[in-house]
Amino acid sequence: MNNPEVFEKTYNQYWKKLNAFSYTMTQDKDLAQNIVQDVFVDLWERKEELNINAIEPFLFRAVKNQVFKHYQNNRFDKTILEEKFEDYIIDNFSTIDPEVMDLLYSLLDKLPEKRKEVLLMYKFQDMTIDQIADELGISKQTVKNQISSAVKQLREGLKDLAWLAPLIIFNHKF
């Protein structure tokens, strides 16, 4: 990372992804950008001493740590971040690393059959609530209720898998 061209290429390649990730966790555009900027400044300042094998996991871990550090310094409730992380996992379920997906599929298997079917149609097939209701011959409200219940059940299950958070972040292709 001593080479300015390599650093610039890395910056250009990961800036948007890291900023989106940071924003997902903070819900604050300026804070998200500042955190990513701090990560890159720190990377450049420590370029002589760092030995990085895989840059993407390193950068995402650094951003996550900076977000936690910011909230810790501001005495912010860390559970809000954990909830945002869970929301992110649920919202981006179909793009998560296949190895992690196997573990998350076990949570899906615990859902009642109809609830699982509705959630899969909604999240994996990108079907609208109207389309799902028409396809299954049920009301839109029933579809909404099934999705809400499924997400709630998955969220509860994700709390048991909290130890996976770093693995998901490091292996995720944003």
Side-chain angles (χ1 to χ4, degrees):
M1 196 57 65
N2 287 336
N3 184 330
E5 289 83 24
V6 171
F7 180 82
E8 184 177 353
K9 182 180 176 189
T10 302
Y11 180 89
N12 290 333
Q13 182 177 354
Y14 291 105
W15 168 258
K16 281 185 180 179
K17 293 177 186 178
L18 293 170
N19 192 49
F21 177 66
S22 182
Y23 180 76
T24 299
M25 294 183 77
T26 64
Q27 297 298 303
D28 181 324
K29 182 181 173 185
D30 294 330
L31 176 60
Q33 290 176 352
N34 288 339
I35 285 172
V36 174
Q37 194 65 38
D38 289 346
V39 166
F40 277 107
V41 167
D42 184 58
L43 178 65
W44 182 253
E45 288 175 347
R46 295 176 44 208
K47 66 184 179 280
E48 302 290 331
E49 64 191 71
L50 291 175
N51 183 13
I52 303 170
N53 293 329
I55 191 68
E56 186 171 354
F58 174 86
L59 290 171
F60 280 96
R61 183 177 58 236
V63 168
K64 181 193 71 142
N65 289 341
Q66 284 288 75
V67 170
F68 284 140
K69 184 176 162 185
H70 169 78
Y71 286 124
Q72 186 176 25
N73 291 342
N74 292 300
R75 292 177 173 47
F76 192 79
D77 186 0
K78 200 173 179 179
T79 58
I80 292 172
L81 285 178
E82 291 167 356
E83 287 172 10
K84 287 181 182 178
F85 177 75
E86 291 165 4
D87 290 341
Y88 178 82
I89 294 300
I90 291 167
D91 290 342
N92 295 282
F93 207 67
S94 61
T95 61
I96 296 172
D97 185 86
E99 293 173 18
V100 176
M101 283 301 292
D102 291 340
L103 296 170
L104 295 175
Y105 274 123
S106 69
L107 290 175
L108 270 178
D109 286 339
K110 294 177 184 175
L111 294 174
E113 198 57 41
K114 194 56 121 178
R115 188 174 296 162
K116 179 168 63 172
E117 180 181 18
V118 169
L119 183 69
L120 292 175
M121 292 171 87
Y122 186 69
K123 290 292 182 185
F124 288 112
Q125 297 176 8
D126 292 325
M127 292 177 71
T128 66
I129 290 171
D130 290 341
Q131 290 171 327
I132 296 169
D134 289 343
E135 176 84 19
L136 299 177
I138 57 179
S139 73
K140 294 178 202 175
Q141 189 58 49
T142 300
V143 172
K144 291 177 187 176
N145 292 344
Q146 290 293 334
I147 292 169
S148 176
S149 296
V151 168
K152 182 178 179 184
Q153 195 171 339
L154 287 176
R155 185 172 281 125
E156 285 299 313
L158 284 171
K159 288 180 182 173
D160 298 334
L161 298 175
W163 60 273
L164 279 176
L167 179 65
I168 292 168
I169 290 170
F170 300 155
N171 291 323
H172 188 74
K173 304 289 186 257
F174 290 88

